[in-house]
Amino acid sequence: MKQVLAIYPGSFDPVTNGHLDLIERGSKLFDRLVVAVLQNLEKDPLFSVPERVEMLREVTRPWANVEVDVFDGLLVEYARRRKAQALLRGIRAISDYEYELQMAMMNRKMEPNIETVFMMPSVKYSYLSSRLVREVARLHGPLKDLVPPLVEERIRAKVT
Ligand code: ADP
């Protein structure tokens, strides 16, 4: 039987409850889900890529069909190498749509055999982003219910 492998790419700096909501939904729909951390040169990261990967591995442990990996360069190249059939992306508000649509179309042009699948998180996470979490973290604001407890701990250790 055909096994469907999907890649869920992102920066995950840090992983939030919104990401986890999507990972849970993705793990139910696909046979295997690879959460792939983009190794780019971001201007002002809060966590290093190895730190993000370690937190992701810890918080995705409950899902046996979820794996965490790192990639750089073109996403479609990585997806081809992994023999993935789908890319998973989250749509929160309409504002995400335009950028996501452009990216999905560009990826389809480069690799017509890989489908982008969009999923919506629970409404309670629809205004949550890693960027906001980083901002609140740097201002020592409360992050309860926005990130998993492990991430909250790591943030506390980092920003004090
Ligand atoms: P962010 O946009 O939070 O900085 P990433 O670049 O790590 O996060 O995003 C990776 C993917 O996860 C993107 O498709 C993004 O739309 C999605 N995503 C991020 N936050 C959420 C959320 N709260 N709910 C659903 N999807 C999300």
Side-chain angles (χ1 to χ4, degrees):
M1 239 192 22
K2 191 174 162 188
Q3 291 268 314
V4 181
L5 183 138
I7 311 273
Y8 178 33
S11 309
F12 305 101
D13 182 27
V15 58
T16 68
N17 287 343
H19 294 131
L20 283 185
D21 179 294
L22 236 70
I23 291 170
E24 178 162 35
R25 289 172 203 279
S27 77
K28 287 184 190 148
L29 187 67
F30 302 111
D31 296 296
R32 283 169 61 210
L33 183 66
V34 178
V35 181
V37 180
L38 173 62
Q39 191 143 37
N40 61 357
L41 299 167
E42 265 177 78
K43 280 160 279 147
D44 198 14
L46 184 60
F47 290 99
S48 69
V49 170
E51 285 172 326
R52 292 178 222 169
V53 168
E54 197 255 326
M55 287 187 281
L56 271 167
R57 290 214 168 109
E58 199 58 47
V59 298
T60 58
R61 208 187 289 276
W63 298 290
N65 62 343
V66 174
E67 176 197 324
V68 181
D69 195 9
V70 173
F71 78 104
D72 59 9
L74 268 187
L75 173 60
V76 287
E77 275 299 329
Y78 171 72
R80 263 187 221 131
R81 215 166 53 235
R82 294 295 318 247
K83 301 195 183 348
Q85 294 94 329
L87 303 173
L88 173 63
R89 296 289 291 176
I91 297 266
R92 285 160 287 195
I94 289 288
S95 50
D96 279 340
Y97 179 73
E98 201 154 342
Y99 173 68
E100 291 292 341
L101 181 69
Q102 272 185 11
M103 227 167 34
M105 291 303 149
M106 183 56 84
N107 284 334
R108 177 181 280 167
K109 183 169 162 51
M110 291 188 283
E111 179 46 80
N113 293 318
I114 298 178
E115 282 302 330
T116 300
V117 176
F118 293 115
M119 281 186 179
M120 284 75 67
S122 162
V123 279
K124 60 181 185 280
Y125 301 130
S126 51
Y127 294 97
L128 179 56
S129 70
S130 295
R131 187 182 54 76
L132 264 180
V133 166
R134 290 196 298 275
E135 280 178 23
V136 174
R138 285 177 174 136
L139 299 169
H140 307 279
L143 291 167
K144 193 177 172 299
D145 301 331
L146 303 184
V147 296
L150 169 94
V151 174
E152 215 183 327
E153 264 169 46
R154 299 290 160 87
I155 288 174
R156 212 171 292 132
K158 189 163 277 269
V159 297
T160 48

